[in-house]
Amino acid sequence: MFSLFFSVFFALLAHALTIARLLLTITSKIALLFAGYALRIESEAVAANIQQQLDKKANMCLELQRLVAQHESKAAIIMESHRNMQCLYERERRIAGKYTRVFALLKREFAEHNENTLAAIDDIDINPVY
């Protein structure tokens, strides 16, 4: 009877250990499953954070491209204005050269006229005899 008790006890103990091992396996698999879900949720949060940072950087790049385009257009306007000013300067220089030549011709004509006038005055007899 004592041996039957021990054999039943050890049989129940063996079944209890088997059940405990199964429960431990099940609980460890459930714990791994929850850990996997938690890891997935955390990785999705990290991925969303990274995507948000990438979106910010993309927006910053677009803003920089807009600013560069704006400055390039301003630079193009300034360069066009500079070319126009250069053309105006060249035109004014040509006009000034023409006026300089015209004034030189007028000065020469005036000098010749003055010489003729002075010669005519010299020909006038200051004390005419009547």
Side-chain angles (χ1 to χ4, degrees):
M1 169 116 172
F2 190 67
S3 70
L4 180 67
F5 173 74
F6 277 120
S7 64
V8 170
F9 175 75
F10 284 122
L12 287 176
L13 185 64
H15 285 298
L17 289 175
T18 305
I19 291 172
R21 193 178 73 190
L22 285 174
L23 286 175
L24 185 62
T25 304
I26 290 171
T27 54
S28 66
K29 290 196 183 215
I30 290 172
L32 285 174
L33 184 66
F34 283 129
Y37 283 138
L39 188 61
R40 189 176 114 215
I41 290 170
E42 186 178 346
S43 65
E44 286 175 356
V46 169
N49 189 14
I50 290 171
Q51 186 63 43
Q52 186 180 18
Q53 289 177 359
L54 288 174
D55 290 343
K56 277 184 185 177
K57 289 182 181 180
N59 288 337
M60 288 172 58
C61 287
L62 289 174
E63 181 67 18
L64 284 173
Q65 286 175 347
R66 187 189 66 78
L67 288 173
V68 165
Q70 184 180 14
H71 286 296
E72 284 176 347
S73 67
K74 285 181 182 178
I77 291 169
I78 290 169
M79 291 301 291
E80 184 65 26
S81 175
H82 175 70
R83 279 193 293 275
N84 290 341
M85 293 292 285
Q86 191 69 25
C87 290
L88 287 174
Y89 170 76
E90 292 295 325
R91 183 174 164 223
E92 293 292 326
R93 196 171 63 78
R94 284 193 306 271
I95 291 171
K98 288 178 184 177
Y99 281 124
T100 302
R101 287 190 297 276
V102 168
F103 286 138
L105 288 172
L106 286 175
K107 187 177 177 184
R108 197 171 339 143
E109 289 287 323
F110 185 70
E112 287 176 10
H113 179 71
N114 273 348
E115 286 176 12
N116 292 341
T117 304
L118 289 175
I121 290 173
D122 285 342
D123 288 343
I124 296 175
D125 192 8
I126 297 177
N127 294 320
V129 177
Y130 292 108

